[in-house]
Amino acid sequence: QIEINRPIIIIGSGYGAAVAALRLCEAGKKVVILEMGINWKESGIPYSGLLKPGRSAAWLKRKTIAPFMNIFPLKPFTGALDKFNFKNIDVWVGRGVGGGSIVNGGMAVVPKESYFKEVFPKLDAEKFYNFYFPLVNKELKVNGIEEQFVKDCPYYKFTRVGEAEAHKAGFKTVRVPNVYDFKYMEREYKKEVPRSALNTEVIYGNNHGKNSLDKTYLAKALATGNLEILDLHCVDMITGNEDKSYCLKVRQIDTSGKTVADKTFRCDKLVLGAGTMGTLKLLLSAQDKNNFPLDNTVGKNWGNNGNFMTGRNWVRPLSGGTGALQSTIPVGGVDNWEDSEHSFFTEIAPLPMGVDVATALYLMINRVDKKGSVTYDKVQNRLVLDWNESHTVRMKANADYFVRKMNRANGGTRSHLLFKNGFGANICYHPLGGCVLGESTNVYGKLKEHDNLYVIDGSLIPGTIGVNPFMTITAIAEYCIENLIAQGEFE
Ligand code: FAD
């Protein structure tokens, strides 16, 4: 048993954690990040593409786990993508230094101000839209694709077809910004630099082009000299000490998942940035096993951000379909949010299978009319999610409406190839909530019933934000940590 004492520990290295690390380090604080995944950048291990899954493809699994692609055998390795299997829904998350930023599609979307106000009525929306969102835009290196490139590049045929069909069906489309460097993409298209987005790289990591957190917030935090990142360090249990400090039971593992050292860390201040599911598991298991005090709202108000996948087959197969070559970075979306009867946003998603499957894939984001809740099962040491068909009734009706209208205008069928009955209600990339800002925590993320514990990640958002969530998670993190530091919480 190795015992290590540190003043401030952050668990996880995704958006919330990376923001907290940078601002604390800039304020002159020494910070340690404990991250269960690997430090990909330092390891030098390349990410694998979708069509040749390798070490980064899955977290300690014998088979790939990406949706529609779970057919390839794997040797278990601490890969970048992991999946929680619940009864009625699967939740995908990123593992590694950079958290979800390693595996996500990089879509950097600011929510509609009216919806942000609806979700967070107590926050100063003006300050978010004038200050935090622009700040986050800059720090995350958000940029937009050139329209001419979308028009000319064969890898964006799926977007052009998707947009033309949406317009024909009477829908409005929007261009979506991203953290992928589109200038890099133009150069990779010209074969001046190694290909990444144009080489099926995304959900198992991008080797080039994507500005994941290891290149932005975390790089800046490391440059202060105040941050230490310990990768392959899995926090299994939190215990509160009498002096209001915390002890963490940590397993250091190797890349096969084998424990190489058991460690105990002690810290005065603890920040949880383990992502919605990671943070809920740490909190709820500590409550169950250690009588860890928690407000009774923890675990409630969970949502899938209205994630609902759907697709269409035989999309213009005779005129070349959606294309055999597809960039992995989505740049188009259908915005039907203002339609009160069928309020949704949908990403026109790539499906880079290497052949033209004449299939269009859509990741819809809907309102969440009925929230779910998360509890802990101590016998199986796993989370249990109360979530079933009744939570996705409106989402399914929206998907049905969208696909019918698209098919009526353009031809095509419901995608039975991708989904049973054409609907993917069980696919969630955006778990949110369970430790909601101002409910389970104070207005700045300080956990109720605790003096020295702060939650800064997706669990603060009450289950829905109407668009892809990392811009909002990052902005909320900036707001929380700025105020926590100003209040002297880390003195
Ligand atoms: P995370 O980014 O989830 O980071 C949590 C970190 O904590 C992880 O690295 C994890 O390994 C670590 N951790 C967890 N438990 C422990 C523990 N016990 N000990 C040590 N470490 C631990 N959002 C968008 O806005 N745009 C997109 O285009 C987009 N595409 C996505 C595509 C996919 C395939 C997925 C899975 C997600 C996508 N998302 C997207 C969602 C986005 O990535 C997440 O919302 C975001 O990463 C959540 O940030 P977070 O700060 O809550 O934590």
Side-chain angles (χ1 to χ4, degrees), residues 11-16 34-36 92 94-96 99-100 104-107 203 233-235 273-275 429-430 457-458 468-470 473:
I11 304 178
S13 60
Y15 292 90
L34 300 177
E35 166 57 57
M36 66 193 275
W92 278 263
R95 298 262 176 254
N104 68 29
M107 292 173 77
I203 197 167
H233 278 61
C234 187
V235 182
Y429 287 171
H430 302 164
D457 60 20
N468 314 62
F470 74 59
I473 297 172

PDB file of all heavy atoms in Angstrom, residues 11-16 34-36 92 94-96 99-100 104-107 203 233-235 273-275 429-430 457-458 468-470 473, ligand 1:
ATOM      1  N   ILE A  11     -10.336  14.040 -10.214  1.00  0.00           N
ATOM      2  CA  ILE A  11     -10.534  12.709 -10.806  1.00  0.00           C
ATOM      3  C   ILE A  11     -11.106  12.876 -12.204  1.00  0.00           C
ATOM      4  O   ILE A  11     -12.165  13.482 -12.389  1.00  0.00           O
ATOM      5  CB  ILE A  11     -11.466  11.835  -9.940  1.00  0.00           C
ATOM      6  CG1 ILE A  11     -10.912  11.722  -8.514  1.00  0.00           C
ATOM      7  CG2 ILE A  11     -11.627  10.446 -10.570  1.00  0.00           C
ATOM      8  CD1 ILE A  11     -11.788  10.918  -7.567  1.00  0.00           C
ATOM      9  N   GLY A  12     -10.380  12.335 -13.196  1.00  0.00           N
ATOM     10  CA  GLY A  12     -10.807  12.441 -14.588  1.00  0.00           C
ATOM     11  C   GLY A  12     -10.069  13.568 -15.301  1.00  0.00           C
ATOM     12  O   GLY A  12      -9.441  14.428 -14.653  1.00  0.00           O
ATOM     13  N   SER A  13     -10.126  13.536 -16.639  1.00  0.00           N
ATOM     14  CA  SER A  13      -9.413  14.555 -17.422  1.00  0.00           C
ATOM     15  C   SER A  13     -10.210  14.955 -18.661  1.00  0.00           C
ATOM     16  O   SER A  13      -9.642  15.280 -19.687  1.00  0.00           O
ATOM     17  CB  SER A  13      -8.036  14.024 -17.818  1.00  0.00           C
ATOM     18  OG  SER A  13      -8.194  12.847 -18.593  1.00  0.00           O
ATOM     19  N   GLY A  14     -11.558  14.895 -18.556  1.00  0.00           N
ATOM     20  CA  GLY A  14     -12.419  15.369 -19.643  1.00  0.00           C
ATOM     21  C   GLY A  14     -12.601  16.886 -19.552  1.00  0.00           C
ATOM     22  O   GLY A  14     -11.766  17.591 -18.967  1.00  0.00           O
ATOM     23  N   TYR A  15     -13.700  17.386 -20.107  1.00  0.00           N
ATOM     24  CA  TYR A  15     -13.899  18.844 -20.234  1.00  0.00           C
ATOM     25  C   TYR A  15     -13.902  19.561 -18.890  1.00  0.00           C
ATOM     26  O   TYR A  15     -13.164  20.522 -18.673  1.00  0.00           O
ATOM     27  CB  TYR A  15     -15.181  19.125 -21.022  1.00  0.00           C
ATOM     28  CG  TYR A  15     -15.024  18.705 -22.451  1.00  0.00           C
ATOM     29  CD1 TYR A  15     -15.361  17.415 -22.856  1.00  0.00           C
ATOM     30  CD2 TYR A  15     -14.476  19.563 -23.392  1.00  0.00           C
ATOM     31  CE1 TYR A  15     -15.172  17.001 -24.167  1.00  0.00           C
ATOM     32  CE2 TYR A  15     -14.284  19.162 -24.699  1.00  0.00           C
ATOM     33  CZ  TYR A  15     -14.630  17.879 -25.083  1.00  0.00           C
ATOM     34  OH  TYR A  15     -14.423  17.469 -26.373  1.00  0.00           O
ATOM     35  N   GLY A  16     -14.767  19.093 -17.982  1.00  0.00           N
ATOM     36  CA  GLY A  16     -14.874  19.770 -16.691  1.00  0.00           C
ATOM     37  C   GLY A  16     -13.561  19.729 -15.944  1.00  0.00           C
ATOM     38  O   GLY A  16     -13.079  20.748 -15.410  1.00  0.00           O
ATOM     39  N   LEU A  34      -5.982  12.308 -11.567  1.00  0.00           N
ATOM     40  CA  LEU A  34      -5.952  10.845 -11.622  1.00  0.00           C
ATOM     41  C   LEU A  34      -6.900  10.408 -12.737  1.00  0.00           C
ATOM     42  O   LEU A  34      -8.098  10.680 -12.689  1.00  0.00           O
ATOM     43  CB  LEU A  34      -6.422  10.241 -10.289  1.00  0.00           C
ATOM     44  CG  LEU A  34      -5.598  10.609  -9.057  1.00  0.00           C
ATOM     45  CD1 LEU A  34      -6.229   9.993  -7.804  1.00  0.00           C
ATOM     46  CD2 LEU A  34      -4.154  10.145  -9.200  1.00  0.00           C
ATOM     47  N   GLU A  35      -6.353   9.785 -13.747  1.00  0.00           N
ATOM     48  CA  GLU A  35      -7.148   9.385 -14.924  1.00  0.00           C
ATOM     49  C   GLU A  35      -6.979   7.885 -15.146  1.00  0.00           C
ATOM     50  O   GLU A  35      -5.855   7.387 -15.234  1.00  0.00           O
ATOM     51  CB  GLU A  35      -6.677  10.182 -16.151  1.00  0.00           C
ATOM     52  CG  GLU A  35      -7.146   9.672 -17.499  1.00  0.00           C
ATOM     53  CD  GLU A  35      -8.665   9.576 -17.647  1.00  0.00           C
ATOM     54  OE1 GLU A  35      -9.346  10.594 -17.460  1.00  0.00           O
ATOM     55  OE2 GLU A  35      -9.163   8.461 -17.950  1.00  0.00           O
ATOM     56  N   MET A  36      -8.104   7.178 -15.252  1.00  0.00           N
ATOM     57  CA  MET A  36      -8.007   5.716 -15.404  1.00  0.00           C
ATOM     58  C   MET A  36      -7.503   5.288 -16.778  1.00  0.00           C
ATOM     59  O   MET A  36      -6.885   4.241 -16.929  1.00  0.00           O
ATOM     60  CB  MET A  36      -9.354   5.047 -15.092  1.00  0.00           C
ATOM     61  CG  MET A  36     -10.470   5.361 -16.042  1.00  0.00           C
ATOM     62  SD  MET A  36     -12.084   4.819 -15.368  1.00  0.00           S
ATOM     63  CE  MET A  36     -12.106   3.112 -15.883  1.00  0.00           C
ATOM     64  N   TRP A  92     -22.046   5.320 -24.277  1.00  0.00           N
ATOM     65  CA  TRP A  92     -20.635   5.289 -24.671  1.00  0.00           C
ATOM     66  C   TRP A  92     -19.889   6.454 -24.012  1.00  0.00           C
ATOM     67  O   TRP A  92     -20.444   7.560 -23.893  1.00  0.00           O
ATOM     68  CB  TRP A  92     -20.487   5.432 -26.182  1.00  0.00           C
ATOM     69  CG  TRP A  92     -20.674   4.151 -26.926  1.00  0.00           C
ATOM     70  CD1 TRP A  92     -19.693   3.317 -27.368  1.00  0.00           C
ATOM     71  CD2 TRP A  92     -21.914   3.555 -27.340  1.00  0.00           C
ATOM     72  NE1 TRP A  92     -20.245   2.234 -28.020  1.00  0.00           N
ATOM     73  CE2 TRP A  92     -21.605   2.353 -28.016  1.00  0.00           C
ATOM     74  CE3 TRP A  92     -23.256   3.906 -27.192  1.00  0.00           C
ATOM     75  CZ2 TRP A  92     -22.578   1.517 -28.553  1.00  0.00           C
ATOM     76  CZ3 TRP A  92     -24.229   3.076 -27.718  1.00  0.00           C
ATOM     77  CH2 TRP A  92     -23.888   1.894 -28.395  1.00  0.00           C
ATOM     78  N   GLY A  94     -15.607   8.208 -23.324  1.00  0.00           N
ATOM     79  CA  GLY A  94     -14.193   8.185 -23.688  1.00  0.00           C
ATOM     80  C   GLY A  94     -13.328   7.841 -22.492  1.00  0.00           C
ATOM     81  O   GLY A  94     -13.667   8.160 -21.357  1.00  0.00           O
ATOM     82  N   ARG A  95     -12.203   7.172 -22.741  1.00  0.00           N
ATOM     83  CA  ARG A  95     -11.220   6.845 -21.697  1.00  0.00           C
ATOM     84  C   ARG A  95      -9.841   7.295 -22.161  1.00  0.00           C
ATOM     85  O   ARG A  95      -9.448   7.007 -23.282  1.00  0.00           O
ATOM     86  CB  ARG A  95     -11.152   5.325 -21.473  1.00  0.00           C
ATOM     87  CG  ARG A  95     -12.433   4.709 -20.995  1.00  0.00           C
ATOM     88  CD  ARG A  95     -12.416   4.534 -19.481  1.00  0.00           C
ATOM     89  NE  ARG A  95     -13.675   4.030 -19.027  1.00  0.00           N
ATOM     90  CZ  ARG A  95     -14.585   4.770 -18.386  1.00  0.00           C
ATOM     91  NH1 ARG A  95     -14.353   6.047 -18.146  1.00  0.00           N
ATOM     92  NH2 ARG A  95     -15.716   4.250 -17.981  1.00  0.00           N
ATOM     93  N   GLY A  96      -9.137   7.960 -21.282  1.00  0.00           N
ATOM     94  CA  GLY A  96      -7.791   8.407 -21.625  1.00  0.00           C
ATOM     95  C   GLY A  96      -7.629   9.848 -21.209  1.00  0.00           C
ATOM     96  O   GLY A  96      -8.604  10.507 -20.829  1.00  0.00           O
ATOM     97  N   GLY A  99     -10.378  12.487 -21.852  1.00  0.00           N
ATOM     98  CA  GLY A  99     -11.750  11.990 -21.694  1.00  0.00           C
ATOM     99  C   GLY A  99     -12.478  11.865 -23.024  1.00  0.00           C
ATOM    100  O   GLY A  99     -11.922  11.378 -24.012  1.00  0.00           O
ATOM    101  N   GLY A 100     -13.712  12.347 -23.058  1.00  0.00           N
ATOM    102  CA  GLY A 100     -14.555  12.238 -24.255  1.00  0.00           C
ATOM    103  C   GLY A 100     -13.991  12.982 -25.460  1.00  0.00           C
ATOM    104  O   GLY A 100     -14.349  12.673 -26.600  1.00  0.00           O
ATOM    105  N   ASN A 104     -14.793  11.808 -29.377  1.00  0.00           N
ATOM    106  CA  ASN A 104     -16.028  12.422 -29.893  1.00  0.00           C
ATOM    107  C   ASN A 104     -15.860  13.012 -31.293  1.00  0.00           C
ATOM    108  O   ASN A 104     -14.757  13.080 -31.829  1.00  0.00           O
ATOM    109  CB  ASN A 104     -16.624  13.426 -28.889  1.00  0.00           C
ATOM    110  CG  ASN A 104     -15.797  14.667 -28.699  1.00  0.00           C
ATOM    111  OD1 ASN A 104     -15.090  15.099 -29.598  1.00  0.00           O
ATOM    112  ND2 ASN A 104     -15.871  15.250 -27.515  1.00  0.00           N
ATOM    113  N   GLY A 105     -16.992  13.445 -31.854  1.00  0.00           N
ATOM    114  CA  GLY A 105     -17.000  13.971 -33.220  1.00  0.00           C
ATOM    115  C   GLY A 105     -16.585  15.432 -33.302  1.00  0.00           C
ATOM    116  O   GLY A 105     -16.570  16.011 -34.391  1.00  0.00           O
ATOM    117  N   GLY A 106     -16.255  16.042 -32.171  1.00  0.00           N
ATOM    118  CA  GLY A 106     -15.738  17.410 -32.160  1.00  0.00           C
ATOM    119  C   GLY A 106     -16.765  18.491 -32.451  1.00  0.00           C
ATOM    120  O   GLY A 106     -16.417  19.677 -32.571  1.00  0.00           O
ATOM    121  N   MET A 107     -18.059  18.128 -32.572  1.00  0.00           N
ATOM    122  CA  MET A 107     -19.083  19.136 -32.903  1.00  0.00           C
ATOM    123  C   MET A 107     -19.221  20.117 -31.742  1.00  0.00           C
ATOM    124  O   MET A 107     -19.525  19.721 -30.607  1.00  0.00           O
ATOM    125  CB  MET A 107     -20.430  18.471 -33.192  1.00  0.00           C
ATOM    126  CG  MET A 107     -20.410  17.644 -34.468  1.00  0.00           C
ATOM    127  SD  MET A 107     -21.918  16.710 -34.692  1.00  0.00           S
ATOM    128  CE  MET A 107     -23.032  17.983 -35.255  1.00  0.00           C
ATOM    129  N   ILE A 203     -13.926   7.713 -33.665  1.00  0.00           N
ATOM    130  CA  ILE A 203     -14.479   7.197 -32.410  1.00  0.00           C
ATOM    131  C   ILE A 203     -13.440   6.389 -31.620  1.00  0.00           C
ATOM    132  O   ILE A 203     -13.592   6.144 -30.433  1.00  0.00           O
ATOM    133  CB  ILE A 203     -15.780   6.406 -32.699  1.00  0.00           C
ATOM    134  CG1 ILE A 203     -16.615   6.216 -31.443  1.00  0.00           C
ATOM    135  CG2 ILE A 203     -15.505   5.104 -33.381  1.00  0.00           C
ATOM    136  CD1 ILE A 203     -18.041   5.726 -31.710  1.00  0.00           C
ATOM    137  N   HIS A 233      -4.578   5.313 -13.610  1.00  0.00           N
ATOM    138  CA  HIS A 233      -4.885   5.358 -12.175  1.00  0.00           C
ATOM    139  C   HIS A 233      -6.410   5.385 -12.017  1.00  0.00           C
ATOM    140  O   HIS A 233      -7.049   6.392 -12.329  1.00  0.00           O
ATOM    141  CB  HIS A 233      -4.285   6.595 -11.504  1.00  0.00           C
ATOM    142  CG  HIS A 233      -2.836   6.422 -11.143  1.00  0.00           C
ATOM    143  ND1 HIS A 233      -1.856   6.180 -12.076  1.00  0.00           N
ATOM    144  CD2 HIS A 233      -2.209   6.449  -9.926  1.00  0.00           C
ATOM    145  CE1 HIS A 233      -0.694   6.064 -11.458  1.00  0.00           C
ATOM    146  NE2 HIS A 233      -0.870   6.228 -10.154  1.00  0.00           N
ATOM    147  N   CYS A 234      -6.934   4.267 -11.560  1.00  0.00           N
ATOM    148  CA  CYS A 234      -8.389   4.131 -11.481  1.00  0.00           C
ATOM    149  C   CYS A 234      -8.845   4.321 -10.030  1.00  0.00           C
ATOM    150  O   CYS A 234      -8.431   3.554  -9.144  1.00  0.00           O
ATOM    151  CB  CYS A 234      -8.730   2.732 -11.979  1.00  0.00           C
ATOM    152  SG  CYS A 234     -10.468   2.494 -12.125  1.00  0.00           S
ATOM    153  N   VAL A 235      -9.652   5.329  -9.798  1.00  0.00           N
ATOM    154  CA  VAL A 235     -10.147   5.567  -8.431  1.00  0.00           C
ATOM    155  C   VAL A 235     -11.340   4.643  -8.185  1.00  0.00           C
ATOM    156  O   VAL A 235     -12.334   4.695  -8.907  1.00  0.00           O
ATOM    157  CB  VAL A 235     -10.573   7.038  -8.252  1.00  0.00           C
ATOM    158  CG1 VAL A 235     -11.048   7.276  -6.817  1.00  0.00           C
ATOM    159  CG2 VAL A 235      -9.425   7.977  -8.596  1.00  0.00           C
ATOM    160  N   GLY A 273     -14.380  15.081 -11.803  1.00  0.00           N
ATOM    161  CA  GLY A 273     -14.614  15.369 -13.224  1.00  0.00           C
ATOM    162  C   GLY A 273     -14.578  14.060 -13.999  1.00  0.00           C
ATOM    163  O   GLY A 273     -14.013  13.984 -15.084  1.00  0.00           O
ATOM    164  N   ALA A 274     -15.158  13.040 -13.420  1.00  0.00           N
ATOM    165  CA  ALA A 274     -15.087  11.683 -13.984  1.00  0.00           C
ATOM    166  C   ALA A 274     -16.166  11.431 -15.043  1.00  0.00           C
ATOM    167  O   ALA A 274     -16.361  10.295 -15.467  1.00  0.00           O
ATOM    168  CB  ALA A 274     -15.172  10.652 -12.860  1.00  0.00           C
ATOM    169  N   GLY A 275     -16.850  12.507 -15.457  1.00  0.00           N
ATOM    170  CA  GLY A 275     -17.935  12.350 -16.429  1.00  0.00           C
ATOM    171  C   GLY A 275     -19.201  11.927 -15.701  1.00  0.00           C
ATOM    172  O   GLY A 275     -19.138  11.402 -14.581  1.00  0.00           O
ATOM    173  N   TYR A 429     -24.714   8.921 -26.521  1.00  0.00           N
ATOM    174  CA  TYR A 429     -23.355   9.474 -26.452  1.00  0.00           C
ATOM    175  C   TYR A 429     -23.289  10.638 -25.458  1.00  0.00           C
ATOM    176  O   TYR A 429     -22.226  11.134 -25.166  1.00  0.00           O
ATOM    177  CB  TYR A 429     -22.929  10.030 -27.816  1.00  0.00           C
ATOM    178  CG  TYR A 429     -22.613   9.030 -28.887  1.00  0.00           C
ATOM    179  CD1 TYR A 429     -22.393   9.450 -30.199  1.00  0.00           C
ATOM    180  CD2 TYR A 429     -22.488   7.665 -28.616  1.00  0.00           C
ATOM    181  CE1 TYR A 429     -22.078   8.561 -31.213  1.00  0.00           C
ATOM    182  CE2 TYR A 429     -22.170   6.769 -29.620  1.00  0.00           C
ATOM    183  CZ  TYR A 429     -21.970   7.220 -30.916  1.00  0.00           C
ATOM    184  OH  TYR A 429     -21.657   6.347 -31.922  1.00  0.00           O
ATOM    185  N   HIS A 430     -24.446  11.109 -25.009  1.00  0.00           N
ATOM    186  CA  HIS A 430     -24.468  12.349 -24.222  1.00  0.00           C
ATOM    187  C   HIS A 430     -25.135  12.168 -22.851  1.00  0.00           C
ATOM    188  O   HIS A 430     -26.141  12.819 -22.563  1.00  0.00           O
ATOM    189  CB  HIS A 430     -25.250  13.445 -24.966  1.00  0.00           C
ATOM    190  CG  HIS A 430     -24.739  13.788 -26.324  1.00  0.00           C
ATOM    191  ND1 HIS A 430     -25.484  14.493 -27.244  1.00  0.00           N
ATOM    192  CD2 HIS A 430     -23.549  13.546 -26.919  1.00  0.00           C
ATOM    193  CE1 HIS A 430     -24.780  14.668 -28.355  1.00  0.00           C
ATOM    194  NE2 HIS A 430     -23.604  14.092 -28.180  1.00  0.00           N
ATOM    195  N   ASP A 457     -18.470  18.501 -14.140  1.00  0.00           N
ATOM    196  CA  ASP A 457     -18.538  17.726 -15.395  1.00  0.00           C
ATOM    197  C   ASP A 457     -19.991  17.673 -15.878  1.00  0.00           C
ATOM    198  O   ASP A 457     -20.854  18.421 -15.381  1.00  0.00           O
ATOM    199  CB  ASP A 457     -17.932  16.323 -15.228  1.00  0.00           C
ATOM    200  CG  ASP A 457     -18.648  15.482 -14.174  1.00  0.00           C
ATOM    201  OD1 ASP A 457     -19.798  15.794 -13.832  1.00  0.00           O
ATOM    202  OD2 ASP A 457     -18.038  14.502 -13.690  1.00  0.00           O
ATOM    203  N   GLY A 458     -20.266  16.774 -16.818  1.00  0.00           N
ATOM    204  CA  GLY A 458     -21.590  16.696 -17.440  1.00  0.00           C
ATOM    205  C   GLY A 458     -22.718  16.392 -16.472  1.00  0.00           C
ATOM    206  O   GLY A 458     -23.888  16.666 -16.781  1.00  0.00           O
ATOM    207  N   ASN A 468     -25.284  19.117 -28.978  1.00  0.00           N
ATOM    208  CA  ASN A 468     -24.141  18.345 -28.480  1.00  0.00           C
ATOM    209  C   ASN A 468     -23.543  19.090 -27.280  1.00  0.00           C
ATOM    210  O   ASN A 468     -23.389  20.306 -27.321  1.00  0.00           O
ATOM    211  CB  ASN A 468     -23.095  18.198 -29.579  1.00  0.00           C
ATOM    212  CG  ASN A 468     -23.714  17.800 -30.906  1.00  0.00           C
ATOM    213  OD1 ASN A 468     -24.523  18.538 -31.460  1.00  0.00           O
ATOM    214  ND2 ASN A 468     -23.378  16.644 -31.390  1.00  0.00           N
ATOM    215  N   PRO A 469     -23.177  18.376 -26.213  1.00  0.00           N
ATOM    216  CA  PRO A 469     -23.040  19.076 -24.925  1.00  0.00           C
ATOM    217  C   PRO A 469     -21.679  19.635 -24.514  1.00  0.00           C
ATOM    218  O   PRO A 469     -21.606  20.367 -23.530  1.00  0.00           O
ATOM    219  CB  PRO A 469     -23.435  17.984 -23.926  1.00  0.00           C
ATOM    220  CG  PRO A 469     -23.033  16.720 -24.576  1.00  0.00           C
ATOM    221  CD  PRO A 469     -23.208  16.922 -26.058  1.00  0.00           C
ATOM    222  N   PHE A 470     -20.565  19.319 -25.224  1.00  0.00           N
ATOM    223  CA  PHE A 470     -19.300  19.687 -24.565  1.00  0.00           C
ATOM    224  C   PHE A 470     -19.057  21.185 -24.457  1.00  0.00           C
ATOM    225  O   PHE A 470     -18.373  21.641 -23.539  1.00  0.00           O
ATOM    226  CB  PHE A 470     -18.088  18.911 -25.108  1.00  0.00           C
ATOM    227  CG  PHE A 470     -17.554  19.290 -26.461  1.00  0.00           C
ATOM    228  CD1 PHE A 470     -17.097  20.562 -26.752  1.00  0.00           C
ATOM    229  CD2 PHE A 470     -17.451  18.313 -27.453  1.00  0.00           C
ATOM    230  CE1 PHE A 470     -16.570  20.876 -27.993  1.00  0.00           C
ATOM    231  CE2 PHE A 470     -16.916  18.615 -28.704  1.00  0.00           C
ATOM    232  CZ  PHE A 470     -16.489  19.915 -28.973  1.00  0.00           C
ATOM    233  N   ILE A 473     -20.781  22.008 -21.212  1.00  0.00           N
ATOM    234  CA  ILE A 473     -20.053  21.463 -20.055  1.00  0.00           C
ATOM    235  C   ILE A 473     -18.825  22.340 -19.766  1.00  0.00           C
ATOM    236  O   ILE A 473     -18.546  22.688 -18.612  1.00  0.00           O
ATOM    237  CB  ILE A 473     -19.616  20.001 -20.327  1.00  0.00           C
ATOM    238  CG1 ILE A 473     -20.841  19.094 -20.510  1.00  0.00           C
ATOM    239  CG2 ILE A 473     -18.715  19.473 -19.200  1.00  0.00           C
ATOM    240  CD1 ILE A 473     -20.525  17.674 -20.965  1.00  0.00           C
TER     241      ILE A 473
HETATM  242  P1  FAD B   1     -15.603  13.034 -19.831  1.00  0.00           P
HETATM  243  O1  FAD B   1     -15.128  13.737 -21.050  1.00  0.00           O
HETATM  244  O2  FAD B   1     -16.494  11.858 -19.992  1.00  0.00           O
HETATM  245  O3  FAD B   1     -14.303  12.605 -19.017  1.00  0.00           O
HETATM  246  C1  FAD B   1     -14.339  11.834 -17.847  1.00  0.00           C
HETATM  247  C2  FAD B   1     -12.975  11.197 -17.636  1.00  0.00           C
HETATM  248  O4  FAD B   1     -12.924  10.643 -16.325  1.00  0.00           O
HETATM  249  C3  FAD B   1     -12.666  10.047 -18.594  1.00  0.00           C
HETATM  250  O5  FAD B   1     -11.400  10.243 -19.187  1.00  0.00           O
HETATM  251  C4  FAD B   1     -12.687   8.806 -17.694  1.00  0.00           C
HETATM  252  O6  FAD B   1     -11.783   7.789 -18.121  1.00  0.00           O
HETATM  253  C5  FAD B   1     -12.274   9.382 -16.346  1.00  0.00           C
HETATM  254  N1  FAD B   1     -12.756   8.582 -15.220  1.00  0.00           N
HETATM  255  C6  FAD B   1     -14.031   8.149 -15.008  1.00  0.00           C
HETATM  256  N2  FAD B   1     -14.120   7.459 -13.851  1.00  0.00           N
HETATM  257  C7  FAD B   1     -12.871   7.453 -13.311  1.00  0.00           C
HETATM  258  C8  FAD B   1     -12.302   6.879 -12.145  1.00  0.00           C
HETATM  259  N3  FAD B   1     -13.060   6.179 -11.275  1.00  0.00           N
HETATM  260  N4  FAD B   1     -10.971   7.026 -11.914  1.00  0.00           N
HETATM  261  C9  FAD B   1     -10.199   7.740 -12.786  1.00  0.00           C
HETATM  262  N5  FAD B   1     -10.684   8.292 -13.919  1.00  0.00           N
HETATM  263  C10 FAD B   1     -12.002   8.163 -14.180  1.00  0.00           C
HETATM  264  N6  FAD B   1     -20.198  16.058 -27.513  1.00  0.00           N
HETATM  265  C11 FAD B   1     -20.181  17.166 -28.277  1.00  0.00           C
HETATM  266  O7  FAD B   1     -20.421  18.280 -27.769  1.00  0.00           O
HETATM  267  N7  FAD B   1     -19.918  17.083 -29.616  1.00  0.00           N
HETATM  268  C12 FAD B   1     -19.691  15.888 -30.238  1.00  0.00           C
HETATM  269  O8  FAD B   1     -19.443  15.845 -31.458  1.00  0.00           O
HETATM  270  C13 FAD B   1     -19.729  14.701 -29.450  1.00  0.00           C
HETATM  271  N8  FAD B   1     -19.551  13.484 -30.020  1.00  0.00           N
HETATM  272  C14 FAD B   1     -19.482  12.372 -29.207  1.00  0.00           C
HETATM  273  C15 FAD B   1     -19.194  11.140 -29.783  1.00  0.00           C
HETATM  274  C16 FAD B   1     -19.019  10.020 -28.969  1.00  0.00           C
HETATM  275  C17 FAD B   1     -18.726   8.695 -29.588  1.00  0.00           C
HETATM  276  C18 FAD B   1     -19.136  10.144 -27.554  1.00  0.00           C
HETATM  277  C19 FAD B   1     -18.941   8.951 -26.664  1.00  0.00           C
HETATM  278  C20 FAD B   1     -19.443  11.366 -26.987  1.00  0.00           C
HETATM  279  C21 FAD B   1     -19.610  12.482 -27.801  1.00  0.00           C
HETATM  280  N9  FAD B   1     -19.891  13.733 -27.253  1.00  0.00           N
HETATM  281  C22 FAD B   1     -19.943  14.845 -28.056  1.00  0.00           C
HETATM  282  C23 FAD B   1     -20.116  13.897 -25.808  1.00  0.00           C
HETATM  283  C24 FAD B   1     -18.924  14.513 -25.069  1.00  0.00           C
HETATM  284  O9  FAD B   1     -17.713  13.904 -25.456  1.00  0.00           O
HETATM  285  C25 FAD B   1     -19.152  14.359 -23.560  1.00  0.00           C
HETATM  286  O10 FAD B   1     -20.361  15.007 -23.239  1.00  0.00           O
HETATM  287  C26 FAD B   1     -18.028  14.962 -22.741  1.00  0.00           C
HETATM  288  O11 FAD B   1     -16.792  14.339 -23.028  1.00  0.00           O
HETATM  289  C27 FAD B   1     -18.317  14.856 -21.247  1.00  0.00           C
HETATM  290  O12 FAD B   1     -17.367  15.624 -20.559  1.00  0.00           O
HETATM  291  P2  FAD B   1     -17.121  15.425 -19.012  1.00  0.00           P
HETATM  292  O13 FAD B   1     -16.258  16.531 -18.539  1.00  0.00           O
HETATM  293  O14 FAD B   1     -18.429  15.234 -18.341  1.00  0.00           O
HETATM  294  O15 FAD B   1     -16.317  14.034 -18.837  1.00  0.00           O
END
